[in-house]
Amino acid sequence: GLGATGVASVSVRGPVRVAVLTTGSELHGAGATLGAAGIHDANGPYLAALLPATGAVVVGRDHIGDELQALQAALARW
């Protein structure tokens, strides 16, 4: 980040806005029945719950599979 370039401080306006985006076709929401390669998405809900305690505003939360176009579309939304 900025520290690696020698920048000691920056001015900001308002709170940091964050979109939490989890990716991977193997991830499924809580309560979903998992197949052999499936896992529950623990990081997305964890980050969305934790970030407000840091002063950040979560502006969105989404999950997409492994398709490049889906990733690009999700990033464009925020």
Side-chain angles (χ1 to χ4, degrees):
L2 292 173
T5 64
V7 175
S9 66
V10 295
S11 298
V12 296
R13 289 187 182 154
V16 174
R17 296 166 35 97
V18 179
V20 177
L21 178 63
T22 53
T23 63
S25 298
E26 73 281 4
L27 293 179
H28 301 278
T33 301
L34 301 179
I39 59 174
H40 287 112
D41 176 13
N43 290 336
Y46 172 73
L47 289 171
L50 179 68
L51 284 164
T54 69
V57 175
V58 178
V59 296
R61 182 163 129 33
D62 200 1
H63 172 77
I64 60 167
D66 295 315
E67 301 80 26
L68 177 59
Q69 288 180 317
L71 174 60
Q72 291 170 329
L75 292 174
R77 282 194 293 274
W78 299 299

